[in-house]
Amino acid sequence: LSVRRMHEPESVFGQMKNNRGFRRFLLRGLPKVSLEVGWLSLAHNLLKKAAVDRKRQMALQG
């Protein structure tokens, strides 16, 4: 069970809550909450891509 949990997206939600300071939804209603989750996911993925790009740039420079 613990091995299977490593492959589930639970860590992403933990990162959003702890590292990004997300505690509660600002909007109400399923369509609005779905949109808010989409924005959070987009921001999370863009920040991850920026970190990978930054690491790649540093490797090329030095």
Side-chain angles (χ1 to χ4, degrees):
L1 183 63
S2 65
V3 171
R4 196 173 71 204
R5 286 182 72 179
M6 287 183 224
H7 299 288
E8 293 180 5
E10 190 172 308
S11 63
V12 173
F13 294 118
Q15 289 173 2
M16 282 185 193
K17 288 173 71 175
N18 192 34
N19 300 343
R20 312 266 184 256
F22 178 74
R23 291 288 179 239
R24 63 174 47 192
F25 291 105
L26 300 173
L27 305 173
R28 297 290 174 244
L30 188 58
K32 293 177 185 177
V33 168
S34 295
L35 183 65
E36 194 170 353
V37 168
W39 282 111
L40 286 168
S41 301
L42 179 67
H44 179 78
N45 289 330
L46 287 173
L47 288 168
K48 277 175 50 175
K49 176 151 180 31
V52 168
D53 290 347
R54 196 174 323 126
K55 186 182 279 189
R56 189 173 292 142
Q57 275 290 7
M58 296 299 284
L60 290 174
Q61 289 178 357

